[in-house]
């Protein structure tokens, strides 16, 4: 889960974000040195034809998607090539795990990969997935252990998106997950209050309603319902 302060701290003054949804592409560009002076510089959307991206998030026609993204970016007027994207929750598996504290990063990485194999079904191999993780902090029950968020995604879905964007000349330097992006959003909106209270966030999309429940800064419940805001007429 990335922190926007960390992006600005890398020296990126202009950062763009692209959301490839089931019905729309949304593109925006932010400019600024810190959270206090961030400005929305460019924004545009473009409708995606039905069946271009299937229910599992797989791209059915890369050339058509590339053309739509290029059209959307041109409409926005943005020139930046530094890009942040996200993966839908349906494309990833995430789990909080507890591991002993490791002195060497490689030892921690090996143990995380072992834990990741336990999340895979029999028809998915470790070479077919991307694995990422971050240390949340000390295990409240044992200071000699760390709480770690483990995230696993199929390479095919991410590689498809990266290939399209690289062909368009973008530098994709962060790949986020939807639910973590919402968590960051609430942190920015609520500040210290987010640490001590419970919040329910509703994401009303074209094809689904997604509910997220956060308690004391932690996601404790999610639910997707097939109730969307767009009616398709054949």
């Amino acid at each position: 889960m990335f922190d926007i302060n960390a992006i600005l701290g890398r020296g990126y003054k202009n950062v763009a974000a692209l959301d490839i949804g089931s019905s729309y592409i949304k593109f925006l560009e932010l400019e600024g040195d810190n959270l206090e002076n961030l400005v929305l510089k460019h924004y545009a959307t473009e409708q995606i034809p039905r069946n271009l991206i299937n229910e599992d998030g797989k791209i059915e026609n890369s050339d058509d998607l590339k053309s739509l993204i290029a059209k959307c970016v041109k409409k926005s007027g943005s020139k930046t090539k530094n890009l942040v994207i996200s993966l839908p929750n349906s494309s990833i598996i995430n789990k909080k795990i507890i591991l002993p504290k490791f002195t060497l990063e490689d030892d921690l990485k090996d143990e995380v990969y072992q834990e990741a194999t336990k999340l895979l079904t029999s028809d998915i191999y470790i070479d077919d997935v991307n694995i990422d993780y971050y240390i949340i902090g000390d295990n409240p029950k044992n200071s000699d252990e760390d709480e770690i968020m483990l995230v696993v995604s199929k390479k095919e879905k991410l590689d498809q998106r990266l290939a399209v964007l690289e062909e368009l000349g973008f530098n994709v330097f962060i790949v986020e997950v939807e639910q973590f992006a919402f968590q960051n959003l609430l942190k920015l909106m609520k500040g210290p209050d987010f640490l001590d209270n419970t919040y329910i966030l509703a994401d009303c999309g074209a094809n689904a309603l997604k509910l997220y429940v956060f308690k004391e800064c932690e996601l404790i419940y999610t639910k997707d319902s097939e109730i969307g805001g767009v009616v398709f007429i054949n």
Side-chain angles (χ1 to χ4, degrees):
M1 182 170 64
F2 79 86
D3 182 343
I4 193 166
N5 287 297
I7 296 177
L8 300 173
R10 295 184 193 185
Y12 291 104
K13 196 167 184 178
N14 292 70
V15 178
L18 178 72
D19 175 28
I20 303 174
S22 58
S23 299
Y24 280 88
I25 295 168
K26 295 180 280 290
F27 180 91
L28 65 83
E29 180 187 343
L30 297 174
E31 180 181 86
D33 297 311
N34 54 63
L35 288 175
E36 282 67 39
N37 68 2
L38 278 182
V39 177
L40 177 63
K41 297 292 290 185
H42 300 282
Y43 177 76
T45 65
E46 196 67 36
Q47 188 169 8
I48 297 177
R50 293 185 69 183
N51 304 321
L52 180 58
I53 298 177
N54 67 25
E55 294 179 355
D56 294 326
K58 183 179 178 181
I59 299 168
E60 298 293 348
N61 190 314
S62 296
D63 289 336
D64 284 354
L65 181 61
K66 183 168 64 175
S67 297
L68 284 172
I69 293 173
K71 183 179 179 181
C72 186
V73 174
K74 183 177 181 180
K75 183 194 296 184
S76 77
S78 173
K79 301 297 182 184
T80 187
K81 293 299 182 181
N82 300 317
L83 191 62
V84 175
I85 66 171
S86 67
L87 288 175
N89 299 330
S90 59
S91 295
I92 64 104
I93 302 172
N94 67 288
K95 182 182 180 183
K96 184 188 293 184
I97 59 176
I98 304 294
L99 292 178
K101 291 183 181 294
F102 289 93
T103 304
L104 299 177
E105 178 70 19
D106 287 345
D107 292 340
L108 172 59
K109 185 176 179 180
D110 289 342
E111 192 65 31
V112 167
Y113 272 60
Q114 289 297 320
E115 291 293 322
T117 60
K118 300 176 184 178
L119 301 180
L120 304 180
T121 56
S122 59
D123 60 330
I124 301 177
Y125 299 98
I126 195 71
D127 291 339
D128 297 330
V129 298
N130 295 298
I131 299 170
D132 199 6
Y133 64 93
Y134 70 93
I135 298 175
I136 300 171
D138 291 343
N139 177 7
K141 298 180 180 178
N142 186 344
S143 60
D144 293 328
E145 297 175 330
D146 282 326
E147 284 189 339
I148 296 172
M149 181 59 70
L150 170 62
V151 180
V152 179
S153 66
K154 284 189 176 181
K155 284 184 178 179
E156 180 185 21
K157 294 178 182 178
L158 178 57
D159 289 350
Q160 275 189 320
R161 285 166 167 75
L162 292 178
V164 168
L165 296 170
E166 286 172 5
E167 286 184 30
L168 290 169
F170 284 105
N171 166 39
V172 180
F173 68 103
I174 285 180
V175 178
E176 182 60 294
V177 177
E178 274 185 3
Q179 66 187 51
F180 298 148
F182 282 126
Q183 188 169 339
N184 272 331
L185 174 64
L186 281 175
K187 279 184 179 180
L188 293 174
M189 291 173 60
K190 307 306 297 185
D193 287 345
F194 187 49
L195 300 174
D196 303 318
N197 292 291
T198 299
Y199 294 93
I200 299 174
L201 188 148
D203 176 22
C204 304
N207 300 311
L209 171 64
K210 302 176 184 179
L211 294 177
Y212 302 85
V213 181
F214 296 93
K215 182 178 182 180
E216 297 175 357
C217 196
E218 186 173 331
L219 180 68
I220 61 172
Y221 179 79
T222 64
K223 182 176 178 60
D224 292 1
S225 301
E226 294 182 359
I227 302 172
V230 172
V231 177
F232 294 102
I233 301 176
N234 296 320

